[in-house]
Amino acid sequence: MIVMKFGGTSVKEAAAMTATAEIISARIHQQPLVVLSACGGITDKLLRLAREAGLRHIQESTSLLSEIEEHHKKILTTKTPDNQQAHHDMDVLLAQLREFAEGLSLLGECTPRSLDAIASFGERLSTTIMTHILKANGNRATFFDARTVMRTDDNFVNAAVDRVQLRRLSKDLLLPLYSNNDVVVTQGFIGSTDAGITTTLGRGGSDLSAALFGEALDASEIQIWTDVSGVKSADPRIIPTARTIARMSFAEVRELANYGAKVLHPDTIMPAVERNIPVVVLNTFEPEHAGTVITADIPDGSAAVSAVSARHDATMIRCDIPPDTNATTVLNELMDYCVLAKREVLHCTIGESVCIVVIQGPEPVLYESRVPYTVGQVSLLCVAGPNLRHDAVSLKTVCAELVQYSPAALAIGTSDVSVVAILSPAVVQDALKGIHNIIEQQ
Ligand code: ASP
Ligand code: MG
């Protein structure tokens, strides 16, 4: 069996739902478990609804409720206008949502637990609609409430899943559904405590749900359907010639994501990687594109340099070490500052000077020290390749390119699959282009 996860844009409105249903129907022989997000934008609206209701802002919450209702009703009337059962199922959910919202405005409070209860309606509505669309298209499809198996702790808004229970319960309760059905449709993002209280796995949690389901069911593949055709060799807005990488290792995806690439959050697919299940990133709006296959191992035949990414939210503090001062003392001072100011450290080097790169954050960096220092914004550029550290020839080419932009530091060997350069924001675009030329010339 396979897991097919569709994000918010893939189920946003009737047209996207149609495209998604066609993609599912075409893969029905693979016994798909379909994991859906809420319709794009709906989770945000639901969370706003919960907050406004908790503040007793009746007008705002009433209009949000109407928007949410209309959005889903419109899809259903476009897709299955005469399906009484579909309309009934949706009316039940919408009535429940209304009751919950009224409850919050009566109580005048909105706890993390309430946020989860309200947010869960997004995925419950999208999956209800999709199940009916699939059935109307002639598929043997059934709805499955993820909360019956996705057991979590009670850390509302960011709950942790009990993977052992998920595996056992999925085998007992979910798998048997395939004896009468070809496809099962369930929700990403939501779960429940052992006591049956609804929880969520955190924003964007549907990818994690998909990976966890894949792991629990020993799926042969996990497909993440989104609105881009796989992982690109660079940000196409900066490098228009950026191309999709056909196969790449999980380690590369993680490096790229750490350094600014807007690929799926690598931690979310960890459960799949641990079990060696390939994760394929595909485009709902270009379904014939093969996308990117992400595997735990280094894929055969991949290019030495695969992709380049950059992040621009970093600040570098650089301390010159006076002759009478010990570098360790300077480093300790810098680290104390990071602890006190809660700064996440991205990079650190000690030599003639001590350099530390931290994430900028909302507050400015206010470092004070007796030793001379400079503070400035920097960009971090990451060049990824499946085996870059052990490939001296490619390393030499990459480094020769990067040194032209006078990096404050080059980190080689901190990861097997990347080289990271700390650059002035003024030159980072040129460096990206230079590295991408190397990628194109391979
Ligand atoms: N609907 C949830 C969110 O918007 C989960 C997801 O889409 O992955 O955060
Ligand atoms: Mg998402």
Side-chain angles (χ1 to χ4, degrees):
M1 71 178 304
I2 60 169
V3 172
M4 303 176 80
K5 181 261 169 178
F6 292 86
T9 48
S10 303
V11 290
K12 193 173 166 70
E13 15 62 8
M17 287 254 188
T18 307
T20 293
E22 275 169 20
I23 290 166
I24 297 167
S25 300
R27 286 156 184 81
I28 210 85
H29 56 282
Q30 288 180 282
Q31 280 197 316
L33 171 68
V34 172
V35 178
L36 299 185
S37 287
C39 303
I42 290 296
T43 306
D44 285 338
K45 282 199 177 151
L46 285 164
L47 293 172
R48 261 174 47 216
L49 164 66
R51 292 199 182 92
E52 297 290 2
L55 292 167
R56 296 198 165 115
H57 292 166
I58 304 302
Q59 221 179 336
E60 286 84 349
S61 44
T62 310
S63 81
L64 278 164
L65 253 177
S66 314
E67 281 175 41
I68 294 164
E69 285 182 2
E70 269 160 37
H71 182 93
H72 293 94
K73 282 192 172 155
K74 193 170 160 202
I75 302 177
L76 209 54
T77 22
T78 317
K79 293 301 302 169
T80 55
D82 309 320
N83 187 331
Q84 301 292 329
Q85 186 63 46
H87 286 274
H88 170 79
D89 290 351
M90 191 160 74
D91 287 345
V92 170
L93 278 173
L94 291 173
Q96 229 183 73
L97 173 61
R98 195 170 275 275
E99 271 176 29
F100 273 58
E102 278 166 11
L104 294 190
S105 47
L106 281 174
L107 290 168
E109 66 171 34
C110 173
T111 60
R113 176 173 160 169
S114 330
L115 285 173
D116 280 356
I118 298 266
S120 74
F121 282 90
E123 272 69 10
R124 289 157 66 197
L125 283 160
S126 66
T127 46
T128 300
I129 297 174
M130 183 56 73
T131 310
H132 283 294
I133 295 176
L134 288 169
K135 280 185 184 166
N137 291 355
N139 295 298
R140 293 196 309 161
T142 191
F143 173 95
F144 182 74
D145 192 328
R147 293 172 297 175
T148 33
V149 295
M150 197 62 82
R151 292 290 165 80
T152 70
D153 60 14
D154 61 359
N155 189 13
F156 295 103
V157 178
N158 195 16
V161 174
D162 180 338
R163 286 155 76 168
V164 177
Q165 279 214 74
L166 174 63
R167 192 173 172 80
R168 184 175 53 75
L169 291 169
S170 298
K171 296 243 149 93
D172 289 352
L173 304 171
L174 207 170
L175 266 190
L177 296 173
Y178 287 89
S179 56
N180 312 321
N181 294 283
D182 296 319
V183 49
V184 177
V185 182
T186 195
Q187 306 78 35
F189 181 53
I190 69 172
S192 98
T193 65
D194 282 338
I197 315 288
T198 300
T199 54
T200 68
L201 315 187
R203 293 306 305 268
S206 295
D207 291 337
L208 176 60
S209 301
L212 289 167
F213 274 122
E215 177 197 38
L217 295 166
D218 297 315
S220 57
E221 183 173 292
I222 295 165
Q223 301 177 349
I224 306 284
W225 290 85
T226 169
D227 54 2
V228 289
S229 298
V231 181
K232 301 272 183 195
S233 53
D235 182 344
R237 286 167 305 181
I238 297 163
I239 314 282
T241 52
R243 55 184 182 216
T244 298
I245 304 158
R247 303 179 69 85
M248 72 189 312
S249 65
F250 172 73
E252 287 170 273
V253 177
R254 189 166 45 197
E255 276 304 281
L256 290 169
N258 282 341
Y259 292 99
K262 298 276 177 292
V263 293
L264 77 174
H265 199 297
D267 290 348
T268 63
I269 59 167
M270 204 56 196
V273 175
E274 281 169 13
R275 212 170 269 267
N276 244 320
I277 306 173
V279 175
V280 193
V281 182
L282 293 150
N283 187 350
T284 304
F285 307 100
E286 201 188 346
E288 51 304 321
H289 196 297
T292 301
V293 185
I294 302 164
T295 48
D297 305 326
I298 298 174
D300 292 337
S302 36
V305 184
S306 57
V308 57
S309 66
R311 66 187 287 171
H312 310 285
D313 58 345
T315 296
M316 184 169 79
I317 309 171
R318 182 196 172 106
C319 296
D320 293 322
I321 301 165
D324 56 339
T325 315
N326 187 325
T328 321
T329 317
V330 176
L331 179 67
N332 283 339
E333 258 186 38
L334 275 164
M335 288 297 178
D336 284 344
Y337 165 76
C338 290
V339 172
L340 278 173
K342 296 201 172 73
R343 294 280 172 186
E344 189 180 328
V345 179
L346 291 169
H347 183 93
C348 176
T349 51
I350 312 186
E352 312 236 302
S353 63
V354 179
C355 282
I356 192 159
V357 177
V358 296
I359 296 180
Q360 244 156 37
E363 277 111 47
V365 170
L366 296 172
Y367 182 64
E368 278 173 44
S369 166
R370 282 164 284 119
V371 301
Y373 67 93
T374 56
V375 176
Q377 209 192 319
V378 286
S379 293
L380 296 172
L381 180 137
C382 169
V383 186
N387 198 20
L388 202 51
R389 181 159 84 96
H390 304 285
D391 175 357
V393 177
S394 303
L395 260 187
K396 186 179 160 205
T397 317
V398 166
C399 293
E401 179 65 29
L402 290 175
V403 291
Q404 294 180 58
Y405 307 98
S406 315
L410 263 187
I412 303 165
T414 44
S415 139
D416 277 356
V417 298
S418 70
V419 171
V420 174
I422 301 171
L423 296 167
S424 146
V427 300
V428 71
Q429 302 270 31
D430 290 340
L432 269 166
K433 287 179 188 149
I435 293 292
H436 204 264
N437 283 338
I438 296 174
I439 294 174
E440 284 178 26
Q441 279 155 21
Q442 290 176 115

